PDB file of all heavy atoms in Angstrom:
ATOM      1  N   LEU D 168      -3.331   3.647   0.042  1.00 92.00           N
ATOM      2  CA  LEU D 168      -4.654   3.205  -0.377  1.00 92.00           C
ATOM      3  C   LEU D 168      -4.668   2.819  -1.858  1.00 92.00           C
ATOM      4  O   LEU D 168      -5.629   2.229  -2.337  1.00 92.00           O
ATOM      5  CB  LEU D 168      -5.700   4.285  -0.116  1.00 92.00           C
ATOM      6  CG  LEU D 168      -6.288   4.332   1.296  1.00 92.00           C
ATOM      7  CD1 LEU D 168      -7.295   5.469   1.424  1.00 92.00           C
ATOM      8  CD2 LEU D 168      -6.945   3.003   1.671  1.00 92.00           C
ATOM      9  N   PHE D 236      18.269  -3.555 -10.262  1.00 96.00           N
ATOM     10  CA  PHE D 236      19.001  -3.748  -9.019  1.00 96.00           C
ATOM     11  C   PHE D 236      19.626  -5.141  -8.975  1.00 96.00           C
ATOM     12  O   PHE D 236      18.978  -6.130  -9.359  1.00 96.00           O
ATOM     13  CB  PHE D 236      18.079  -3.537  -7.815  1.00 96.00           C
ATOM     14  CG  PHE D 236      17.735  -2.092  -7.586  1.00 96.00           C
ATOM     15  CD1 PHE D 236      16.720  -1.482  -8.297  1.00 96.00           C
ATOM     16  CD2 PHE D 236      18.459  -1.331  -6.669  1.00 96.00           C
ATOM     17  CE1 PHE D 236      16.416  -0.144  -8.100  1.00 96.00           C
ATOM     18  CE2 PHE D 236      18.166   0.011  -6.471  1.00 96.00           C
ATOM     19  CZ  PHE D 236      17.144   0.604  -7.178  1.00 96.00           C
ATOM     20  N   HIS D 242      12.935 -15.586  -9.261  1.00 98.00           N
ATOM     21  CA  HIS D 242      11.510 -15.922  -9.355  1.00 98.00           C
ATOM     22  C   HIS D 242      10.628 -14.678  -9.490  1.00 98.00           C
ATOM     23  O   HIS D 242       9.506 -14.761  -9.994  1.00 98.00           O
ATOM     24  CB  HIS D 242      11.064 -16.755  -8.141  1.00 98.00           C
ATOM     25  CG  HIS D 242      11.149 -16.046  -6.821  1.00 98.00           C
ATOM     26  ND1 HIS D 242      10.128 -15.253  -6.328  1.00 98.00           N
ATOM     27  CD2 HIS D 242      12.130 -16.009  -5.889  1.00 98.00           C
ATOM     28  CE1 HIS D 242      10.474 -14.769  -5.142  1.00 98.00           C
ATOM     29  NE2 HIS D 242      11.687 -15.206  -4.855  1.00 98.00           N
ATOM     30  N   LEU D 258       0.042  -9.508 -16.637  1.00 98.00           N
ATOM     31  CA  LEU D 258       0.069  -8.082 -16.303  1.00 98.00           C
ATOM     32  C   LEU D 258      -0.747  -7.273 -17.314  1.00 98.00           C
ATOM     33  O   LEU D 258      -1.465  -6.337 -16.941  1.00 98.00           O
ATOM     34  CB  LEU D 258       1.504  -7.572 -16.241  1.00 98.00           C
ATOM     35  CG  LEU D 258       2.366  -8.090 -15.084  1.00 98.00           C
ATOM     36  CD1 LEU D 258       3.783  -7.537 -15.181  1.00 98.00           C
ATOM     37  CD2 LEU D 258       1.754  -7.747 -13.729  1.00 98.00           C
ATOM     38  N   HIS D 261      -4.373  -7.889 -16.563  1.00 97.00           N
ATOM     39  CA  HIS D 261      -4.754  -7.265 -15.298  1.00 97.00           C
ATOM     40  C   HIS D 261      -5.336  -5.875 -15.490  1.00 97.00           C
ATOM     41  O   HIS D 261      -6.373  -5.532 -14.916  1.00 97.00           O
ATOM     42  CB  HIS D 261      -3.509  -7.206 -14.393  1.00 97.00           C
ATOM     43  CG  HIS D 261      -3.700  -6.465 -13.105  1.00 97.00           C
ATOM     44  ND1 HIS D 261      -2.681  -5.789 -12.488  1.00 97.00           N
ATOM     45  CD2 HIS D 261      -4.788  -6.270 -12.331  1.00 97.00           C
ATOM     46  CE1 HIS D 261      -3.125  -5.230 -11.382  1.00 97.00           C
ATOM     47  NE2 HIS D 261      -4.403  -5.510 -11.267  1.00 97.00           N
ATOM     48  N   HIS D 262      -4.712  -5.047 -16.313  1.00 92.00           N
ATOM     49  CA  HIS D 262      -5.102  -3.646 -16.431  1.00 92.00           C
ATOM     50  C   HIS D 262      -6.551  -3.463 -16.883  1.00 92.00           C
ATOM     51  O   HIS D 262      -7.265  -2.606 -16.349  1.00 92.00           O
ATOM     52  CB  HIS D 262      -4.176  -2.926 -17.414  1.00 92.00           C
ATOM     53  CG  HIS D 262      -3.024  -2.247 -16.755  1.00 92.00           C
ATOM     54  ND1 HIS D 262      -3.168  -1.432 -15.654  1.00 92.00           N
ATOM     55  CD2 HIS D 262      -1.700  -2.261 -17.023  1.00 92.00           C
ATOM     56  CE1 HIS D 262      -1.979  -0.962 -15.284  1.00 92.00           C
ATOM     57  NE2 HIS D 262      -1.067  -1.461 -16.096  1.00 92.00           N
ATOM     58  N   MET D 274     -14.273   1.694  -5.188  1.00 94.00           N
ATOM     59  CA  MET D 274     -14.436   3.143  -5.126  1.00 94.00           C
ATOM     60  C   MET D 274     -15.906   3.527  -5.059  1.00 94.00           C
ATOM     61  O   MET D 274     -16.314   4.337  -4.222  1.00 94.00           O
ATOM     62  CB  MET D 274     -13.771   3.788  -6.343  1.00 94.00           C
ATOM     63  CG  MET D 274     -13.879   5.311  -6.373  1.00 94.00           C
ATOM     64  SD  MET D 274     -13.103   6.120  -4.961  1.00 94.00           S
ATOM     65  CE  MET D 274     -11.377   5.730  -5.293  1.00 94.00           C
ATOM     66  N   THR D 304     -11.685 -15.955 -14.091  1.00 98.00           N
ATOM     67  CA  THR D 304     -10.583 -16.144 -15.040  1.00 98.00           C
ATOM     68  C   THR D 304      -9.295 -16.505 -14.321  1.00 98.00           C
ATOM     69  O   THR D 304      -8.536 -17.374 -14.779  1.00 98.00           O
ATOM     70  CB  THR D 304     -10.379 -14.874 -15.882  1.00 98.00           C
ATOM     71  OG1 THR D 304     -11.567 -14.623 -16.641  1.00 98.00           O
ATOM     72  CG2 THR D 304      -9.203 -15.026 -16.832  1.00 98.00           C
ATOM     73  N   LEU D 337     -10.467  -5.342  -1.532  1.00 96.00           N
ATOM     74  CA  LEU D 337     -11.780  -5.786  -1.069  1.00 96.00           C
ATOM     75  C   LEU D 337     -11.875  -5.810   0.453  1.00 96.00           C
ATOM     76  O   LEU D 337     -12.980  -5.915   1.004  1.00 96.00           O
ATOM     77  CB  LEU D 337     -12.088  -7.177  -1.633  1.00 96.00           C
ATOM     78  CG  LEU D 337     -12.117  -7.317  -3.158  1.00 96.00           C
ATOM     79  CD1 LEU D 337     -12.397  -8.762  -3.556  1.00 96.00           C
ATOM     80  CD2 LEU D 337     -13.144  -6.380  -3.781  1.00 96.00           C
ATOM     81  N   GLU D 342     -17.903  -7.455   5.607  1.00 91.00           N
ATOM     82  CA  GLU D 342     -17.572  -8.874   5.488  1.00 91.00           C
ATOM     83  C   GLU D 342     -18.543  -9.627   4.590  1.00 91.00           C
ATOM     84  O   GLU D 342     -18.141 -10.499   3.816  1.00 91.00           O
ATOM     85  CB  GLU D 342     -17.533  -9.521   6.880  1.00 91.00           C
ATOM     86  CG  GLU D 342     -16.288  -9.221   7.678  1.00 91.00           C
ATOM     87  CD  GLU D 342     -15.019  -9.718   6.988  1.00 91.00           C
ATOM     88  OE1 GLU D 342     -14.962 -10.915   6.653  1.00 91.00           O
ATOM     89  OE2 GLU D 342     -14.105  -8.913   6.781  1.00 91.00           O
ATOM     90  N   GLY D 350     -16.101 -15.705  -2.031  1.00 97.00           N
ATOM     91  CA  GLY D 350     -16.525 -17.036  -1.579  1.00 97.00           C
ATOM     92  C   GLY D 350     -16.477 -18.131  -2.623  1.00 97.00           C
ATOM     93  O   GLY D 350     -16.000 -19.241  -2.345  1.00 97.00           O
ATOM     94  N   PHE D 370       3.834  -7.950   4.114  1.00 98.00           N
ATOM     95  CA  PHE D 370       2.490  -7.944   3.550  1.00 98.00           C
ATOM     96  C   PHE D 370       1.522  -7.226   4.481  1.00 98.00           C
ATOM     97  O   PHE D 370       0.770  -6.329   4.050  1.00 98.00           O
ATOM     98  CB  PHE D 370       2.022  -9.380   3.288  1.00 98.00           C
ATOM     99  CG  PHE D 370       0.733  -9.469   2.528  1.00 98.00           C
ATOM    100  CD1 PHE D 370       0.739  -9.627   1.153  1.00 98.00           C
ATOM    101  CD2 PHE D 370      -0.493  -9.410   3.178  1.00 98.00           C
ATOM    102  CE1 PHE D 370      -0.451  -9.708   0.439  1.00 98.00           C
ATOM    103  CE2 PHE D 370      -1.686  -9.495   2.474  1.00 98.00           C
ATOM    104  CZ  PHE D 370      -1.669  -9.647   1.102  1.00 98.00           C
ATOM    105  N   GLU D 372       2.185  -5.193   6.942  1.00 97.00           N
ATOM    106  CA  GLU D 372       2.587  -3.802   7.182  1.00 97.00           C
ATOM    107  C   GLU D 372       2.137  -2.903   6.031  1.00 97.00           C
ATOM    108  O   GLU D 372       1.596  -1.810   6.254  1.00 97.00           O
ATOM    109  CB  GLU D 372       4.112  -3.730   7.349  1.00 97.00           C
ATOM    110  CG  GLU D 372       4.620  -2.364   7.808  1.00 97.00           C
ATOM    111  CD  GLU D 372       5.053  -1.499   6.647  1.00 97.00           C
ATOM    112  OE1 GLU D 372       5.602  -2.050   5.673  1.00 97.00           O
ATOM    113  OE2 GLU D 372       4.839  -0.274   6.698  1.00 97.00           O
ATOM    114  N   LYS D 381     -11.049  -0.111   7.006  1.00 84.00           N
ATOM    115  CA  LYS D 381     -12.208  -0.969   7.213  1.00 84.00           C
ATOM    116  C   LYS D 381     -12.775  -0.773   8.609  1.00 84.00           C
ATOM    117  O   LYS D 381     -14.000  -0.692   8.784  1.00 84.00           O
ATOM    118  CB  LYS D 381     -11.828  -2.431   7.003  1.00 84.00           C
ATOM    119  CG  LYS D 381     -13.002  -3.390   7.171  1.00 84.00           C
ATOM    120  CD  LYS D 381     -12.615  -4.796   6.785  1.00 84.00           C
ATOM    121  CE  LYS D 381     -13.815  -5.717   6.803  1.00 84.00           C
ATOM    122  NZ  LYS D 381     -13.511  -7.049   6.265  1.00 84.00           N
TER     123      LYS D 381
END
Side-chain angles (χ1 to χ4, degrees):
L168 276 179
F236 287 83
H242 64 87
L258 291 178
H261 174 211
H262 266 312
M274 180 61 67
T304 298
L337 300 178
E342 283 299 306
F370 188 95
E372 189 265 324
K381 181 173 186 173

